[in-house]
Amino acid sequence: MFSSDSVQPLGLSAKARRTGEQPISFLMAAVLADPNLINFAAGLVDPLTLPVGPTRQIVETIFADERRARAALQYDTTLGLASLRRAALAHLENLEQKPTADFGLTERDIVITTGSQQALYLIGDVLIDPGDIVIAANPCYFVYTGTLASLGANVLTVPMTYDGIDVDAIEKLLVKLERENRLDRVKLIYSTTYYQNPTGLTLCAAARPRLLEIARRFSRRNRILILEDAAYRELRYDGPALASIKSLDRDNRYTILTQTFSKPFAPGLKTGYTAMPSELMEAILHQKGNHDFGSPSLTQHIAVEAMASGLYGRHVRLLCDSYRSKRDAMLDSLDKYIPASAGISWTRPAGGLYIWVTLPEGADSSRASALFKRCVENGVLYVPGDYCFQPDENGFVPRNHLRLSFGQVAPNQIGPGIERLAQAIIEVLQQPSRAAVAPVNSRT
Ligand SMILES: Cc1ncc(COP(=O)(O)O)c(C=O)c1O
């Protein structure tokens, strides 16, 4: 007989115990509780520009062809639809403005995944044993640092600069790790090289070959791979179209490039593609075989038809126009509502979805702060910047940053939202009791 008090605890694995809830979940709950909140927190894309018409057209085209429709409703391979891998390769060639053969890539080096997030996960899964080192920027895409934590990685950080991840600091860190005989534990250098989440900043052209050279030079017994996350690459509003680090890696040895259809087309497809060294691919496919033995065929067929028909390219242009004006509206409103004398600065990204605001040192934007509370009362939401940081060696996490996204908010809500945010910031900063920053040891 069972009674409720005889129920034993679950025998969760060490990995499950290392895996926490993604910190952003509570922000989603706040929006659901009050739909009138102006939500600069969500990293979602703009609902108004989702490609409803083009996707309807694409699905009709696919289903008008009986043979193709059957293929779209059938399983495909673990590696992914061959026509989509060919299209992705041609697309990369176009983005890099040079033949993919120049950097040793063939369609066999491209895997289709369930969003680029699955690729990021699988890469960590096949490379990281607990205690292995991943070098990442501080601040960083917090979903991935959560993934790395669940794998037991030791994430060592270097600062973000206005030119992207601090490559000099990476070199210094590797020199130090070599001195300490820990180089063999370094598996990955993770960087969002275009319009980073959360800062909107891009790795500059000069730093790209230098980072590759550093990864090559410090690869001794183990190869150190650069994981180049290019999720926002195609959302470019101004500035040059930079070549990826991958395109500089002549023999396809040191770089993994992840890209996605989520940001430039539709996250509902949850389809991404990743180019990687051939030797890594085998291990990735074994793990992906365990996950799902292939991403959904239907969305892969939609993606390939979007590219072949030209609808993808047209949609990216439309999105860039729309997001450019939303970015400008957000920057103009920040200029308008935040006085220059307030000691507050923010990034001016050339693409992507995010603006990173820095308050004076000592200010507190964390979830428990007076500022966050005041903003919710004022009807506006942001991501507290401390979620995006790993603690430094003293356990310190800066709390004076905010991530704002202009992705999901309607254009006419940006001005009113920034006005509410600015009012809250100024009001809270003027309070005499502004608390000094306390070191924290965990993201609570
Ligand atoms: C930097 C970065 N990389 C990867 C992803 C994963 O996106 P997806 O799995 O939809 O391709 C995201 C999503 O927000 C992101 O911000």
Side-chain angles (χ1 to χ4, degrees):
M1 289 298 280
F2 291 104
S3 71
S4 59
D5 45 13
S6 70
V7 176
Q8 294 80 7
L10 289 173
L12 291 179
S13 67
K15 184 174 174 184
R17 281 182 272 118
R18 282 194 298 261
T19 309
E21 188 187 19
Q22 286 293 349
I24 200 146
S25 316
F26 86 91
L27 292 169
M28 299 302 165
V31 175
L32 289 176
D34 179 1
N36 294 323
L37 278 177
I38 297 180
N39 187 0
F40 295 137
L44 302 183
V45 303
D46 187 348
L48 300 176
T49 48
L50 283 170
V52 175
T55 306
R56 184 186 306 123
Q57 200 180 319
I58 288 166
V59 171
E60 277 167 10
T61 305
I62 293 170
F63 281 85
D65 176 341
E66 185 82 18
R67 205 170 52 86
R68 208 169 163 194
R70 287 185 196 286
L73 294 174
Q74 185 56 279
Y75 285 125
D76 200 82
T77 60
T78 310
L79 190 57
L81 197 65
S83 53
L84 183 56
R85 287 184 287 109
R86 272 196 298 280
L89 194 72
H91 187 57
L92 281 180
E93 206 153 76
N94 191 31
L95 290 174
E96 309 295 357
Q97 294 288 296
K98 69 174 170 189
T100 43
D102 284 9
F103 44 105
L105 266 195
T106 72
E107 65 191 67
R108 296 277 322 161
D109 304 316
I110 294 186
V111 60
I112 308 298
T113 54
T114 307
S116 54
Q117 184 63 35
Q118 187 191 36
L120 296 176
Y121 182 89
L122 289 169
I123 292 157
D125 202 21
V126 304
L127 290 172
I128 309 287
D129 283 319
D132 281 346
I133 294 170
V134 178
I135 298 176
N138 224 7
C140 186
Y141 169 45
F142 52 79
V143 175
Y144 198 45
T145 46
T147 305
L148 292 170
S150 88
L151 295 168
N154 180 10
V155 180
L156 299 183
T157 61
V158 295
M160 261 315 266
T161 73
Y162 280 97
D163 285 332
I165 192 167
D166 186 339
V167 174
D168 290 335
I170 293 177
E171 187 176 23
K172 279 198 197 108
L173 177 59
L174 288 168
V175 168
K176 176 172 171 278
L177 290 169
E178 181 167 41
R179 244 194 345 258
E180 296 167 355
N181 262 330
R182 293 165 72 203
L183 213 47
D184 287 354
R185 298 305 301 262
V186 182
K187 298 291 180 70
L188 281 175
I189 301 170
Y190 171 70
S191 175
T192 305
T193 48
Y194 300 85
Y195 326 121
Q196 193 220 25
N197 177 2
T199 61
L201 297 167
T202 292
L203 186 65
C204 70
R208 292 171 182 243
R210 205 165 122 55
L211 184 55
L212 179 60
E213 184 276 320
I214 289 170
R216 236 188 235 138
R217 176 153 44 96
F218 285 89
S219 290
R220 303 277 158 74
R221 280 191 304 195
N222 279 340
R223 214 179 303 175
I224 299 176
L225 292 166
I226 297 169
L227 175 49
E228 181 173 27
D229 180 343
Y232 297 92
R233 177 179 194 172
E234 291 171 75
L235 300 183
R236 178 171 70 88
Y237 317 135
D238 27 59
L242 295 176
S244 66
I245 303 175
K246 173 98 239 153
S247 73
L248 310 172
D249 186 7
R250 258 180 304 114
D251 301 313
N252 185 23
R253 290 263 162 78
Y254 296 93
T255 324
I256 308 163
L257 173 68
T258 58
Q259 296 205 173
T260 179
F261 289 97
S262 291
K263 314 295 174 180
F265 196 71
L269 296 187
K270 205 61 192 161
T271 300
Y273 51 102
T274 293
M276 67 179 75
S278 324
E279 312 96 292
L280 182 64
M281 183 62 88
E282 200 184 353
I284 292 286
L285 292 180
H286 293 164
Q287 288 307 324
K288 186 164 162 61
N290 285 344
H291 272 214
D292 57 14
F293 46 88
S295 293
S297 304
L298 181 56
T299 55
Q300 294 186 64
H301 277 268
I302 293 173
V304 84
E305 179 60 26
M307 292 190 119
S309 61
L311 288 168
Y312 176 82
R314 280 204 288 285
H315 189 69
V316 173
R317 284 192 290 279
L318 184 143
L319 273 189
C320 287
D321 288 344
S322 162
Y323 284 133
R324 182 185 300 107
S325 58
K326 294 213 302 180
R327 176 207 57 182
D328 291 345
M330 189 172 267
L331 289 173
D332 290 348
S333 304
L334 287 164
D335 288 338
K336 179 171 170 193
Y337 294 114
I338 298 190
S341 58
I344 298 167
S345 60
W346 50 88
T347 55
R348 295 185 171 269
L353 299 179
Y354 307 105
I355 290 175
W356 183 246
V357 177
T358 302
L359 304 179
E361 251 174 70
D364 185 357
S365 66
S366 66
R367 182 183 171 185
S369 67
L371 175 62
F372 191 81
K373 193 160 163 274
R374 192 79 195 92
C375 281
V376 174
E377 285 162 9
N378 273 13
V380 63
L381 215 58
Y382 63 84
V383 171
D386 55 313
Y387 287 134
C388 309
F389 283 97
Q390 299 296 302
D392 71 11
E393 58 275 18
N394 303 314
F396 174 75
V397 171
R399 288 181 172 179
N400 58 325
H401 301 277
L402 292 71
R403 189 193 79 174
L404 303 180
S405 170
F406 47 85
Q408 196 211 13
V409 188
N412 64 0
Q413 294 289 287
I414 291 177
I418 295 294
E419 186 176 8
R420 294 179 196 180
L421 178 79
Q423 273 169 359
I425 291 176
I426 289 155
E427 195 184 302
V428 171
L429 286 185
Q430 277 167 352
Q431 284 167 8
S433 61
R434 180 148 62 84
V437 190
V440 289
N441 291 313
S442 64
R443 292 180 297 165
T444 48

